[in-house]
Amino acid sequence: MALAGLGVGGCRRWPREHIVPYAHRPEGRMPGIPEHYASCFDFGGIAQGVLVTSNDGRPTKIEGNPEHPDSRGASDAFTQAAVLDLYDPDRSRSVTYGGKPSSLAAFKEWLSMYLPEHGEGIAVISESSSSPTFHRMQRAFMRQYPQAVWAEHDPLANTNEREGLQHAFGGNWMPVHDFSKAEVIVSLDADFLGAGPMQVANTRGWASGRNPKNGTMSRMWIAESALSITGANADERQAMRPALLAQITEQLDSHFTRMGIGIQDSHHLNSEQHAWVEKMVADLKHAGKHGLVVAGASQLPITHYLAAYINEKIGAVGTTVSYRTLEGGGNTSIADVAKSMKAGDLHGVMIIGGNPAYDAPGDLDMAKAIASMRISVHLSGDANETSEVCKWHINRAHWMESWSDGRSADGTLCIAQPLIQPLFGGLSPAEFLAVLSGEETTDSHTLVRTTFDPSADRWNAPWRSAVHDGVVANTATLETPPVNRTWSGGLYKVGGTGSKLPAVVFVPSGSVWDGRLANNGWMQELPDAITKLTWDNAALLSPKTAEEYGLKQGDMVNVSVGGNSVKIVVLPVPGTADDVVVLPLGYGRTFNGHVCTGAGVNVYPLRNSKNPWVDTARWEPTGDTYPLATTQMHFGIDTIPGRGTQERLPLLYREGTLQQYKHDPDFAKHVGHTLHSLSIFDEQQFKGAKYKWGMSIDLSTCTGCNACVAACHAENNIPIVGKDQVLMGREMHWIRIDRYFAFGEDGHGGWDGNNLKSVAIQPLTCHHCENAPCEEVCPVAATVHDTDGLNVMVYNRCIGTRYCSNNCPFKVRRFNYFDFFRREPLRSTGFLQVQPDYYVKTQSGGKTLRAMQFNPDVTVRMRGVMEKCTFCTQRIQKVKIATKNAWVKKSPAQKSADPRVAIQDGSILTACQQACPAGAIVFGDLMDKNSHVSTLHDDSRSYEMLSELNIKSRLKFLARLTNPVDGGASTEGSRH
Amino acid sequence: MTTLPINETDNTHENPHVRATLVLNHSDFGSVTNTILKVNESSRPPKSWYLALAISFSLMSMLGALIGYLFFTGVGVWGNNNPVAWGYPIVNFVFWVGIGHAGTLISAILFLFRQKWRTAINRFAEAMTIFAVICAGTFPGIHVGRVWFAYWLFPIPNQMDLWPQFRSPLLWDVFAVGTYFTVSLLFWYLGMIPDLATMRDRATTRVKQIAYGIVSLGWRGSMRHWHRYERAYLLLAALATPLVLSVHSVVSFDFAVSQLPGWHSTIFPPYFVAGAIFSGFAMVMTLAIPARELWGLKDFITMRHLENMCKIILFTGSIVGYAYTMEFFIAWYSGELYESFAFINRAFGPYSWAYWIMVSCNVITPQIFWFKKARNSIVIMFTASLLVNVGMWFERFVIVITSLANDFLPSSWGMYEPSWVDILTFLGSFGLFMTFFLLFIRFLPVLAIAEIKAVMPQANPHPHGHDDGPSTVEEDE
Amino acid sequence: MTGVTSNVAREDLYGLAAEFSDTPGIFHAAEQTHAAGYKWFDCLVPFAVHGLDRAMGVKMTILPILVFFGGFTGLLAACVLQVFTNSLQFDIWAVVPLVGYQFDVSGKPFLGAAAFVPIAFEMTVLFAALTAVFGTFFLNKLPMFYHPVLKHPALARATDDRFYLVIEAKDPKFNRDDVEAFLLSLNPDSVIELEK
């Protein structure tokens, strides 16, 4: 504990150390003052650097680690939600054998009896990891059991890219892109801004290249089948079925690499598409070393190979892209393991993390294969589908409960320190391997430190600073290897080629990723960036295709691929390629979790191990329907509300092209005609105000990644309300991301619902209007203004008339229709609507496990009160108090010099701002004319929503700028 | 023109030369008393009364149960959601307050206008007012999220030592409705004292005698009392008249003061008041028609009375129709994007069905009263009055729901569906209303006996013309 | 018609009542009684007979003045309440141990007079109405549950269809025989003796 002052006090796993009540308060440790510890966790094989806030030993909030090269202090939704997983009441709480509680000792004894000494017939299936310690243990294991086979399994791993780059460079490589340097980005179905281990780094890079003020404005081209976050933010986008993407690849090849790859295909680009690609090629050539070609996971190895090749050709390597070799990996593939399991060559399987029984491609029939093994062990945080078919389940320690390490995208070494004594014991993967291979020391702390430096003891200075910073500087391992000019892998073929059948495209879920976050309430209720769908996945079709098949939102269809088929609900999404069905993965978990049960449909069975991303499908309507809980209503373009939306969209969401901006920098101010609204009374000027809090959101760089929504959830103790309540429109998000589809004209004064022009993505918090309409109508003064201009909501004063919500033009107020913290999250809760199972009484022990996550600085609201965004007033207060304490200590002279107790700009970060990887959200003091937010409010692009109401928002938007080719001549009309 | 002979049983002829009689088939005061009090003095009321009471009472108990359920569980049991934070409760509130406008209007405004025919209907119209306001008051009371703190709405220093926020229309409501209820109650009671005295003096059992004795405060018909009594009545009428107009204006402020498209409209106060009178008279009619049949009050609630009410319904209905048109005109003329959308959406959007029910019931139905035949047909009158009640409920539904469902930001738009609790609670409020009303007609004088006697020709102390002062005003009826 | 036999002791006599069956009768009786200079007399009638009060020489009541002041009090109360609780300046009132609240609401001025009008109006009406009703009760000395005229069974019809003129014994001019004679001269249906 003595190290608390140095910030490593969270290391509560020195041998034989336990949490004990303080007899004396350790120096530098102030009860009630939260502390921050650097750590990291492995996600999709890349270490995510985090800074965890711990309140009196309870990890409550995760931020990005500013030292970490990928994060730089920002984070994504998954990182934000990780803290809730720690307190998931469904976490497994002990080692079990055949479902019955057992012990680690019993397991070890069992091992010594049954594990063949050379590992004959034993397979290890591990999830992808970047941890050097894990790899060290892996090598140790393989030394111990040389005849065992090892397969790495990650359902969303970019296996095609690995293979493509193997052809290009030989060995295991991954590309590391630097979008900040890219002026022209060509994406072949690559959703690099979407959810994934690289989202934060990519988004930050991309955003920094989108600011015309400092002369950088990249152009992003994308051709994709599903409408992805990247597509929504692209300047030039074409939606096309996978087979046509192959045609684009060929066209690129003919211009740059001239491999002369042939394609037999019945699908061909139409002239318009062809011309579009030509423009893209020209643009790419022109960009030279500042160009960049990115291929998505769905693309076949050849495409990845070509991408690497083209990037080398245009000289982008080293500028916009570099590469890194990957450690670890296995000596076989999961497909082969499955095959030899069926063949009976294997009789045992050790599964480290992951959930192959649930997420392995359907053709492998993994669950049955595992069940047939004589030896089957599963290390897992929750007793999931795989544990259910394994004999042994070893409960895994959460990453916040054990030591570990890992490598960031660029290879920088990261150290993970634990934040809390394991709540239910458990082993980390490295520890588990150490146990298997019979190491003498198996505690993660020693293992990790030994990997770091075998000679280092716990007091070793480099080690301690590494732990303190969470990263080890200058350990990046980026390289720029030359591309091997000959393609060694057969002829080019793409899934679905030639077939007239509709294509099926699998995409990861932006909410639950591969399914690992399915039992995380925040993620289940997180509206999908594009569909705004919560608690479910759905088969996404283009409106045109849906119409052809006579399907509308909520209809069920039977989608069958090859032999397997699933029943899933349809959700038409503009911008989806025609004749394509998009199936998000990760839903339909079947293990009995409080949250995930009944949420969505598992589509993994439809995947095949050859090409798990693209295939051809059949579907027929089943006739029945299923309710979809979207947080935004969908009105057909031919309905009054639909047309009304299109009418007012240009006023609410202002966007323009780079050309417009150059020609008229404050074009955003000339949209609509806001009359000069004069007050009939002289407005309160916040007499004696010392600060004037304001916020600015840049619509140009906001991608809609949802990190802010999740961060707000975690920071402000926002309840999850469950699907039934979302269906009724009672979701509680304080910050929401509005998504509108702007359509093109249909020729006769209306709009064409099949002609998507642009996707408007607009985050919305409480505007803290200076003339807040909500306040005057409250009969009990439960919402009033403080002198700093915050529109404060006084919970204990609120009686719940809900009038304020009615009078809020932005409808950002949220009402507690029930005691949501006393309700079951997902399942409909019967007559009395109260079923506190999840939050209050969890199964055996851990009485109020969920409640440990609560932020002690924020009230947990009861039933019947209104709530809304507070601009994170608790964070403001914290900084204010600190500053004022410092100010009081100043000399009179200094005091008079600074009577306002100026708070340093940027020292207050709202939760959403801190999380935002694009830096689109800026908060600060408008009183200080030089503060970042002030300059943004004065920016020419800055505009105020619904200013005609004379409400004087403290939240202003920066109009979105796009950079379409030839000034968007083609799309001008639709934009305004 | 030639003077028509006055048929004693049909007083609906318009003849400027002859004053139409208001009381038929009664030449002396005693028989008036007997006929009216027959209801209360009969040992057992008609079977239909028991049946009606049984139904109403069970509905009322259901209301109680539902409110208990609501308090225990939370307002989430209703259909209210995020855009539509006010649902049925407020719709019902405005509906009932509207109903509650006829009574005091009849007592006050018609009194000031010397409309003597009011005497036949004012008593139970006032009763109706009071019960309607009770129903109305229930809804805002139970609709708040934390009902146990609802008393914070009153200007009493509470444990948090805080006061209400007087700029809020909701608070104006509290005062307006509170005042209206109190004044109506006083008005009702004051008017009833002489009749209660009559009942006391005719009481056949000791219990009745004591009960009515207490409530009649020992009224003995002293002319010196009558003198002050009439003064007080006149003053109350003078006070209640602006009050009636103010109450629904204030209720309309709940909407007009906000800035929601479809709510933020200066036409609301007059439009709401007209609507209130409209619905109020419709409800009086709905109650009067069966009552006069069952209770044999045809001699007092004559066709002429009903016809007059029809005329008022026609008039106010037309005002309401004008208001609907005007709203559209203003929405179009303002050229304000959100405003015009709100009204187009109202008429042709997802809730158009409700809108057209409203228009056909409130604007088209009353037009039938241009025809004397309709004004004299019990069936038509009764049906029309029912339709108007329905239409006026839908008017409030349209105003509250459609405006909230689609306001400024399309992202927050959402549809509203009432839950089963919403619907049953609304039904229950009718139970509450009818239970009170049935008890009233059983135990209290249904008509203002003394006032009716006063408007009979026999009441004139100077049958042979010569008269003094103000009474000439009263001659022209 | 002949006089009534006296069977009430003089000291128990409350007064004599003459019964009339129609309004003209009572009206003229009242006029003559007033003319005859009787002070302590009253008419018991089932409804307010028009002009009877003037015929009896009843003076105009002070009720309207009371009501005016009632209303004024209400207005004052409303203004004080709203101004004090919503827009009171602390620094001025620092000496007074009262608290006012300046809610900064929608940027509106603390003394939002316009917003205070509705409540001011309502409270004016409320107070005025209360004064009107309870003022009448007070002036009429109601409730009064015992009164000699309520005791006599015949006079029960005063609330139904009969009209009575009562001259009280406490009237200075009261003399049983004269009064009886006087009442008979008004040719009533009957004359009744009222016991205290």
Side-chain angles (χ1 to χ4, degrees), chain A residues 299-320:
Chain A
Q299 300 303 295
L300 282 198
I302 180 86
T303 317
H304 292 275
Y305 169 85
L306 284 172
Y309 197 169
I310 296 170
N311 286 334
E312 186 180 85
K313 278 266 186 182
I314 61 176
V317 178
T319 320
T320 60

Side-chain angles (χ1 to χ4, degrees), chain A residues 413-725:
Chain A
L413 179 64
C414 313
I415 304 294
Q417 63 176 315
L419 271 289
I420 185 169
Q421 182 80 5
L423 293 163
F424 312 112
L427 298 175
S428 76
E431 287 174 317
F432 178 66
L433 277 175
V435 168
L436 287 184
S437 41
E439 300 278 309
E440 68 286 354
T441 58
T442 64
D443 89 90
S444 59
H445 176 237
T446 323
L447 292 176
V448 172
R449 198 177 70 249
T450 318
T451 321
F452 176 78
D453 172 1
S455 65
D457 67 2
R458 110 175 38 140
W459 306 109
N460 169 290
W463 162 248
R464 279 178 53 183
S465 66
V467 171
H468 177 273
D469 300 347
V471 294
V472 185
N474 316 324
T475 47
T477 59
L478 290 179
E479 303 170 50
T480 58
V483 172
N484 170 357
R485 293 306 162 97
T486 53
W487 167 253
S488 44
L491 201 62
Y492 185 88
K493 275 206 137 281
V494 78
T497 306
S499 159
K500 280 260 159 275
L501 280 177
V504 58
V505 174
F506 298 92
V507 295
S509 158
S511 300
V512 302
W513 190 234
D514 59 1
R516 71 181 64 183
L517 287 138
N519 208 43
N520 184 311
W522 296 348
M523 289 291 104
Q524 284 285 4
E525 199 147 300
L526 189 72
D528 179 89
I530 301 299
T531 63
K532 293 293 151 198
L533 181 60
T534 65
W535 290 102
D536 276 303
N537 61 341
L540 315 179
L541 301 174
S542 77
K544 188 151 162 284
T545 311
E547 207 174 321
E548 280 165 18
Y549 288 81
L551 294 165
K552 48 181 205 319
Q553 176 170 345
D555 292 348
M556 296 288 271
V557 288
N558 225 329
V559 181
S560 46
V561 178
N564 307 332
S565 76
V566 299
K567 204 172 149 208
I568 188 167
V569 59
V570 164
L571 177 58
V573 177
T576 313
D578 296 336
D579 291 323
V580 171
V581 57
V582 181
L583 298 177
L585 300 158
Y587 283 87
R589 294 287 301 275
T590 53
F591 94 101
N592 185 28
H594 273 88
V595 176
C596 65
T597 302
V601 175
N602 179 10
V603 294
Y604 280 110
L606 297 185
R607 288 179 116 195
N608 72 64
S609 45
K610 314 251 169 335
N611 183 353
W613 296 99
V614 179
D615 209 328
T616 58
R618 280 192 177 69
W619 65 72
E620 62 279 350
T622 63
D624 41 12
T625 62
Y626 178 87
L628 281 177
T630 54
T631 58
Q632 232 173 290
M633 291 254 332
H634 171 74
F635 296 97
I637 194 64
D638 45 0
T639 64
I640 300 254
R643 285 200 292 277
T645 310
Q646 295 299 319
E647 264 174 22
R648 61 185 64 180
L649 193 47
L651 286 172
L652 303 176
Y653 183 87
R654 307 192 180 168
E655 58 180 330
T657 62
L658 183 59
Q659 210 173 48
Q660 263 180 307
Y661 176 74
K662 284 188 177 136
H663 155 266
D664 170 17
D666 37 16
F667 68 92
K669 295 192 166 57
H670 306 151
V671 181
H673 7 255
T674 300
L675 17 127
H676 266 289
S677 16
L678 301 169
S679 289
I680 59 167
F681 50 79
D682 47 353
E683 294 156 10
Q684 290 301 328
Q685 291 309 317
F686 307 112
K687 295 174 197 65
K690 283 198 159 63
Y691 313 100
K692 196 165 178 289
W693 307 120
M695 182 180 274
S696 162
I697 297 182
D698 187 348
L699 300 176
S700 275
T701 50
C702 170
T703 65
C705 70
N706 273 336
C708 50
V709 181
C712 185
H713 234 307
E715 170 75 16
N716 291 308
N717 299 342
I718 296 171
I720 53 172
V721 301
K723 181 183 175 180
D724 57 334
Q725 295 297 303

Side-chain angles (χ1 to χ4, degrees), chain B residues 70-113:
Chain B
L70 171 81
F71 288 178
F72 182 84
T73 316
V75 279
V77 300
W78 286 335
N80 306 35
N81 55 34
N82 183 20
V84 189
W86 284 357
Y88 265 35
I90 298 300
V91 175
N92 301 342
F93 162 67
V94 184
F95 171 72
W96 279 117
V97 172
I99 300 278
H101 271 58
T104 314
L105 178 100
I106 291 166
S107 348
I109 298 182
L110 297 189
F111 178 80
L112 294 183
F113 289 162

Side-chain angles (χ1 to χ4, degrees), chain A residues 9 15 75 119 127 140 152 173 210 229 243 359 375 478 506 516 533 643 658 737 743 792 828 830 872 938 964 971 975:
Chain A
S75 53
E127 62 184 13
E152 203 175 80
W173 293 86
R210 301 287 291 184
I229 289 186
D359 58 22
I375 303 174
L478 290 179
F506 298 92
R516 71 181 64 183
L533 181 60
R643 285 200 292 277
L658 183 59
I737 301 182
F743 296 107
V792 292
S828 159
C872 285
D938 302 340
T971 52
R975 287 234 155 77

Side-chain angles (χ1 to χ4, degrees), chain B residues 189 193 196 210-218, chain C residues 145:
Chain B
Y189 180 56
I193 288 174
L196 290 169
I210 291 169
Y212 288 118
I214 290 169
V215 286
S216 60
L217 304 177
Chain C
F145 292 112

Side-chain angles (χ1 to χ4, degrees), chain A residues 88-91 93 518-521 524 535 591-599 720 823-827 835-844:
Chain A
D88 180 352
D90 295 323
R91 276 182 66 189
R93 294 163 189 236
N519 208 43
N520 184 311
Q524 284 285 4
W535 290 102
F591 94 101
N592 185 28
H594 273 88
V595 176
C596 65
T597 302
I720 53 172
R823 293 178 93 243
E824 195 66 4
L826 174 60
R827 276 158 277 167
Q835 192 174 329
D837 206 25
Y838 173 72
Y839 292 101
V840 181
K841 83 164 164 2
T842 55
Q843 331 90 305
S844 63

Side-chain angles (χ1 to χ4, degrees), chain A residues 34 53 55 61 63 693 711-718 734 768 786 790 792-793 795 854-859 861 868-882 903 907-912 914 923:
Chain A
T53 304
N55 276 290
K61 181 81 168 66
E63 308 293 357
W693 307 120
C712 185
H713 234 307
E715 170 75 16
N716 291 308
N717 299 342
I718 296 171
W734 282 7
H768 292 270
D786 72 3
L790 289 183
V792 292
M793 182 69 220
Y795 304 126
F854 286 148
N855 178 353
D857 298 338
V858 178
T859 315
R861 282 79 57 186
K868 65 161 189 73
C869 160
T870 63
F871 271 176
C872 285
T873 181
Q874 69 278 11
R875 291 178 171 217
I876 298 175
Q877 288 313 322
K878 201 165 277 177
V879 177
K880 247 176 149 181
I881 291 164
I903 285 177
S907 57
I908 303 176
L909 297 177
T910 64
C912 48
Q914 188 165 16
F923 174 84

Side-chain angles (χ1 to χ4, degrees), chain B residues 33 161 201 222-224 228, chain C residues 41-43 101 140 159-160:
Chain B
T33 323
D161 195 15
D201 294 344
S222 152
M223 192 59 215
R224 297 179 188 276
R228 305 194 183 89
Chain C
F41 75 102
D42 199 350
C43 297
Y101 294 86
N140 286 348
T159 57
D160 183 358

